[in-house]
Amino acid sequence: MTAHLTPVQVCEALLGGVDRVAKAAGVHRTTVFPWRRASAIRDTGDVPGARVMRRILAYSAARGLGLTADHLIWGAPRAEVDEILLRRDTAREAAE
């Protein structure tokens, strides 16, 4: 059975950590940490709000990081995220 990552975990993996997720979202880095936990209006690991999701998607698209809208809604299997990271590494090595 493969592990399933939450939307926030996918963002952290594909964008490169909490600091880059915060930069992409246009928020302070400490704002991202509570997204890992459930709240009265969000499930565990959900990215809050369409505006933040659009900012993160735009950041990813501009840099070719591979994040999709489905990732922000549903998360993704760990294997899918690993595949995206492998493709990026392979493309980077080919460009060198």
Side-chain angles (χ1 to χ4, degrees), residues 48-91:
R51 181 180 300 155
V52 171
M53 289 183 195
R54 286 190 298 268
R55 288 178 187 157
I56 293 171
L57 278 174
Y59 181 93
S60 175
R63 291 159 180 78
L65 300 178
L67 185 72
T68 68
D70 279 349
H71 292 146
L72 290 176
I73 297 169
W74 306 108
R78 162 75 66 190
E80 181 179 331
V81 172
D82 289 344
E83 171 79 20
I84 293 168
L85 292 170
L86 179 63
R87 282 195 312 259
R88 282 183 5 200
D89 289 345
T90 302

Side-chain angles (χ1 to χ4, degrees), residues 19-67:
D19 289 329
R20 289 205 180 131
V21 172
K23 180 178 179 179
V27 299
H28 189 272
R29 69 182 307 275
T30 58
T31 302
V32 176
F33 291 106
W35 299 354
R36 294 176 177 174
R37 295 183 305 279
S39 75
I41 58 171
R42 261 185 310 93
D43 288 335
T44 301
D46 281 351
V47 177
R51 181 180 300 155
V52 171
M53 289 183 195
R54 286 190 298 268
R55 288 178 187 157
I56 293 171
L57 278 174
Y59 181 93
S60 175
R63 291 159 180 78
L65 300 178
L67 185 72

Side-chain angles (χ1 to χ4, degrees), residues 1-6 9 76-81:
M1 185 170 180
T2 176
H4 192 84
L5 302 179
T6 67
Q9 290 171 323
R78 162 75 66 190
E80 181 179 331
V81 172

